[in-house]
Amino acid sequence: MSFTTSEYSRDLLIKVFSFSFIVILCTMKYNTLYFKSEEVKYLLEHVLYDWHALNDAEEIEIIQKYANKGRLYTILAGFLVYLGIMVFVVLFFVPDILDIVAPLNESRQHQLPIAIETFFDQEKYFRFIVLNFSVISFLSVTVFLTAETLYMICVQHACGLLKVTSYRILNAFDNRIQQINTSKIKCIICTKLSEAIKLHRRSLEFIEYLCSTFSLSYFILCVFGVASLSINLFEFLKAVELKYTDQAICFGLVVCAHICYMLWVNNVGQDLIDNSIDVFEQTYNVQWYMVSTHIKKDILFILHRSSKTICFNVGSIFVFSLEGFATLINMSLSYSMLLYSTRT
């Protein structure tokens, strides 16, 4: 790709891309450690146990629905990420495309976005360098994507457990049960509510363990993510102002990748919050006034446990949600505007 910029701008470009690449490598390395730990093994065993513990066809359908949702997210994320790599690789060959569309008296020179030192001619072995870069990017992103989709699938499973809990609570007060002999109603409702309470407690344990496993990783990622987005957004605005088209395209792609990733992670966290609120609302709206005092105590127990919104807490200072996404974007914009206002 041909850059017609000053040495200062080129140095900044190299530093920004290097910084983003280091963030990816550090996060990839950190997430790789999780796949060797007992925490991930416990999470997967927990998921497997929950699937085997469900016998009701309706409950299996609910958990299957969230599993399919997780599978869809995985496929969509993989498609977008690998498509982004392909687009970025194609940008390396913009000079070749321009030589065909708008040829000059001589061929345009290729230019790498990241400065590397080689003992051979970069122009002569340009395709080999691009191939090497593509393989490294593919492997790095694959590991990174695997860790992220694991988090997403686990959160979707937790949402499924909460949804099944809501279903059990509603099913306990089914109208058909009210038609049964009064002496048997208490026993049936207590049994069903007891099953709902056990599943809800198991859901809370799973979510708490999930947060403790990934919390530190995402806290580090949030800090570096905001810094990286701020710098890349600053360079994007600067490239647009100076009409450096090639730089604007590169930085624009990086900024879009940051925003899409932040939106995706926070949207998954919002699903968890919505399903936890649903448990409280479903419990509150049941016909609790028609049952005995003993059953009311069980309902109050569920209300007490579900009144506190369940969420994915990052470092006890940040919560993954749509509001959290807006906070991250607002912070990044503020820092980038600060950099832009102090530029020389």
Side-chain angles (χ1 to χ4, degrees), residues 27-83:
T27 308
M28 180 193 70
K29 180 64 176 178
Y30 191 82
N31 284 329
T32 303
L33 296 176
Y34 277 125
F35 289 95
K36 301 177 183 178
S37 63
E38 292 297 323
E39 286 84 353
V40 172
K41 181 181 178 182
Y42 172 81
L43 291 173
L44 296 179
E45 288 177 348
H46 196 294
V47 172
L48 183 62
Y49 177 86
D50 292 334
W51 273 85
H52 290 162
L54 299 178
N55 297 317
D56 185 82
E58 193 72 26
E59 294 178 358
I60 295 176
E61 183 179 349
I62 292 173
I63 205 74
Q64 181 67 54
K65 175 184 175 182
Y66 282 89
N68 292 335
K69 189 175 180 180
R71 184 182 298 110
L72 177 62
Y73 280 170
T74 301
I75 295 173
L76 181 62
F79 173 77
L80 293 177
V81 168
Y82 292 125
L83 179 62

Side-chain angles (χ1 to χ4, degrees), residues 75 116 125 142 183 195 228 230 249 297 319 325 328:
I75 295 173
I116 59 175
Y125 296 97
T142 299
S183 61
E195 293 176 352
S228 179
S230 301
I249 293 175
K297 291 180 179 179
V319 174
F325 168 72
L328 291 177

Side-chain angles (χ1 to χ4, degrees), residues 163-269:
K163 196 68 176 179
V164 173
T165 301
S166 299
Y167 167 77
R168 287 185 176 183
I169 294 172
L170 288 177
N171 191 46
F173 291 86
D174 190 278
N175 292 330
R176 290 171 295 182
I177 297 178
Q178 305 296 335
Q179 300 174 3
I180 302 177
N181 187 279
T182 306
S183 61
K184 296 182 179 180
I185 292 179
K186 179 178 178 180
C187 181
I188 295 175
I189 295 180
C190 282
T191 300
K192 289 182 176 293
L193 285 179
S194 177
E195 293 176 352
I197 291 172
K198 290 179 181 178
L199 183 62
H200 189 246
R201 182 173 63 248
R202 186 167 175 80
S203 304
L204 295 178
E205 292 174 355
F206 179 75
I207 295 169
E208 182 179 354
Y209 202 89
L210 179 65
C211 291
S212 64
T213 303
F214 287 93
S215 179
L216 179 59
S217 175
Y218 278 109
F219 175 75
I220 297 173
L221 195 60
C222 284
V223 174
F224 281 98
V226 170
S228 179
L229 178 57
S230 301
I231 296 174
N232 281 282
L233 185 58
F234 163 69
E235 288 299 321
F236 171 73
L237 295 175
K238 187 177 177 182
V240 171
E241 181 185 17
L242 299 176
K243 298 182 180 179
Y244 294 149
T245 306
D246 295 333
Q247 282 194 40
I249 293 175
C250 289
F251 286 121
L253 289 174
V254 175
V255 169
C256 288
H258 279 75
I259 294 176
C260 291
Y261 172 71
M262 289 181 177
L263 177 60
W264 178 57
V265 173
N266 282 276
N267 184 63
V268 173

